[in-house]
Amino acid sequence: MTLHRKGLVLDFGGVLTTPLLPAALAFEQREGLAEGTLITGLYLHPEGIRLTEALERGALTQTEWNDAAGALLGIPPENLMGRLFADLRPEPAVIAAAAAARRAGVKVGILTNSVGLTPWNLYDGYALDERYDAVVVSEVHGTRKPEPESFRLVLGQLGLAAEECVFVDDTEQYLAPAAELGFATVHATDPARTV
C-alpha cells in the first residue's frame, strides 16, 4: 500500500542551494590550498569532525569555529565560514518545487545542520520562516542530523508522522536514519532528478 505523502522535509545546503563540493573546491583554489585539504581537515580529521559537530549543535560559535578551523587548516580565520561558502547560490528548481508542493497543500519543512548564524548567516535572503511550514536549524535546538531527535522536532512542527513525509538530503549518511523512522527518502544529487 502506498501512503499519501503530506509532508516534505528538505535539507538546506546542497538541496536549496547549489552543491557544496564545487563551492569547497573553489574556496581551496582561492586560498591556495591543495585540492581535498578542506574535506580532509574538517570532515576526516578527528579534531575537524569534533569542531564541526560542536558548531552544528550550537556548543561552539561560528567565530570560535572560524578560529579553530583556520588554525587546523593553516589559513586566516576571519569570516572563514563566509569565505568557505561564498560560491553557494539558491537552487531555483528545488525552491520552486517546494513552493509548488506548498501550493498543492503539502507541508514543507527545513531540517538543517547549522554552520552558525553569526557573524555570517548562510540562510540570509532565503526567507525560511515565510516560505516553509517548519524550520529546524540544529544549533538552535542542540541536536543535529542524523540524531532521531532532530527529525522528531521537524515532524512535531509539521504536525505529521514520518510515514507521511519525504526527506531530501544531499548527505547520503542521513537518509538511512530518516528511513528507519519511517520517512521516504531522496538523495539529492542533481536538482532535476531531486525534483
Side-chain angles (χ1 to χ4, degrees):
M1 177 178 118
T2 302
L3 287 174
H4 175 66
R5 305 289 175 174
K6 300 175 184 175
L8 175 62
V9 177
L10 302 169
D11 175 39
F12 184 81
V15 176
L16 291 179
T17 73
T18 52
L20 301 177
L21 185 57
L25 294 173
F27 166 80
E28 289 174 338
Q29 191 170 40
R30 280 193 308 275
E31 297 286 329
L33 297 171
E35 187 174 306
T37 299
L38 189 70
I39 302 299
T40 302
L42 297 180
Y43 299 100
L44 298 177
H45 188 283
E47 180 61 7
I49 293 168
R50 186 194 71 73
L51 290 170
T52 300
E53 289 184 1
L55 174 68
E56 290 172 346
R57 280 185 212 292
L60 207 60
T61 67
Q62 188 183 93
T63 300
E64 290 168 333
W65 183 91
N66 286 345
D67 289 343
L72 196 60
L73 296 171
I75 57 175
E78 291 76 26
N79 191 33
L80 179 54
M81 191 63 76
R83 293 182 357 246
L84 170 57
F85 289 127
D87 291 335
L88 286 185
R89 299 289 178 263
E91 188 53 70
V94 179
I95 291 170
R102 280 189 88 202
R103 286 193 301 275
V106 174
K107 291 184 178 181
V108 181
I110 304 298
L111 176 58
T112 179
N113 281 353
S114 179
V115 296
L117 300 173
T118 60
W120 180 79
N121 190 338
L122 173 64
Y123 311 107
D124 274 350
Y126 286 85
L128 297 183
D129 290 332
E130 298 157 28
R131 294 181 180 165
Y132 302 96
D133 300 295
V135 178
V136 173
V137 177
S138 65
E139 79 170 275
V140 175
H141 300 281
T143 182
R144 60 182 288 278
K145 293 176 292 182
E147 295 163 0
E149 183 58 24
S150 65
F151 294 101
R152 290 188 189 106
L153 282 167
V154 76
L155 290 169
Q157 288 186 19
L158 291 172
L160 296 172
E163 292 80 8
E164 297 175 292
C165 297
V166 176
F167 173 64
V168 181
D169 205 305
D170 64 319
T171 302
E172 192 171 14
Q173 70 189 38
Y174 299 152
L175 300 179
E180 287 174 18
L181 293 171
F183 285 91
T185 61
V186 173
H187 185 204
T189 55
D190 169 78
R193 290 188 65 192
T194 299
V195 170

